[in-house]
Amino acid sequence: EKKMKKAFTLLELVFVIVVVGILAAVIIPSTRTNPVREAAIDLVSKIRYAQHLAMVDDKFDVGDANWMRNRWQIVFTDTNTKYSIVSDNNTVYAKDPLNSADTIQDIDLNAKYGVTVALTDGCVGETDITFDHLGRPIVGDISDDTAAYVAAQLMTATCEITLTNNGETAIIDIRPETGYASIR
């Protein structure tokens, strides 16, 4: 009655090492960071946050004839590389949901991710995207509006926000009527 000592053979060890190597070769490239994709994800989440604020914080006030100027909006500045989420005629900045001590004010996508930003199609030439109480996007400056809806300001075509860095591109679409924001 001899007891055999159990151990791995050299062939089994080589096989396990090869399998681990193949798995590593497949998994590691997908863990690299893509600054354009990260910037797009960050910006889409902030656009959705601005829309959410507009829907839960209805700014209608029967005693204020200019209540529509207080709607939540995302405003781009410095050739569209910086953005802020503001309301109350650009005097109140949104609190960062991840850190309530911070505001979403002058977030610089170029400094943070190295991307350039272009607004085209439904928001070409505009720097402000405002949301009404239903979450519908309105384009253009609302600081001088004297009516809840000004002709041609309710977004009628999909707004494209293009982020670019070293040949990499991500496009954010904001759809009219729903304000749904997505990355393609």
Side-chain angles (χ1 to χ4, degrees), residues 154-177:
L154 200 56
M155 190 183 292
T156 57
T158 299
C159 172
E160 291 184 358
I161 302 173
T162 305
L163 308 174
T164 309
N165 177 358
N166 295 330
E168 296 264 346
T169 300
I171 299 173
I172 298 170
D173 291 329
I174 303 174
R175 289 171 186 73
E177 278 304 309

Side-chain angles (χ1 to χ4, degrees), residues 69-136:
R69 297 178 186 172
N70 297 330
R71 292 176 170 155
W72 285 102
Q73 58 187 323
I74 187 162
V75 177
F76 292 89
T77 57
D78 291 348
T79 61
N80 299 338
T81 60
K82 290 183 181 179
Y83 69 90
S84 301
I85 298 177
V86 296
S87 76
D88 295 348
N89 211 8
N90 295 337
T91 60
V92 176
Y93 292 93
K95 296 282 185 192
D96 188 334
L98 299 177
N99 182 359
S100 61
D102 293 338
T103 59
I104 302 174
Q105 179 180 2
D106 295 330
I107 307 299
D108 193 338
L109 292 169
N110 193 6
K112 191 171 182 181
Y113 300 105
V115 299
T116 57
V117 181
L119 280 73
T120 57
D121 283 357
C123 52
V124 67
E126 301 295 346
T127 57
D128 302 359
I129 301 170
T130 306
F131 295 97
D132 70 5
H133 67 286
L134 298 174
R136 295 179 297 186

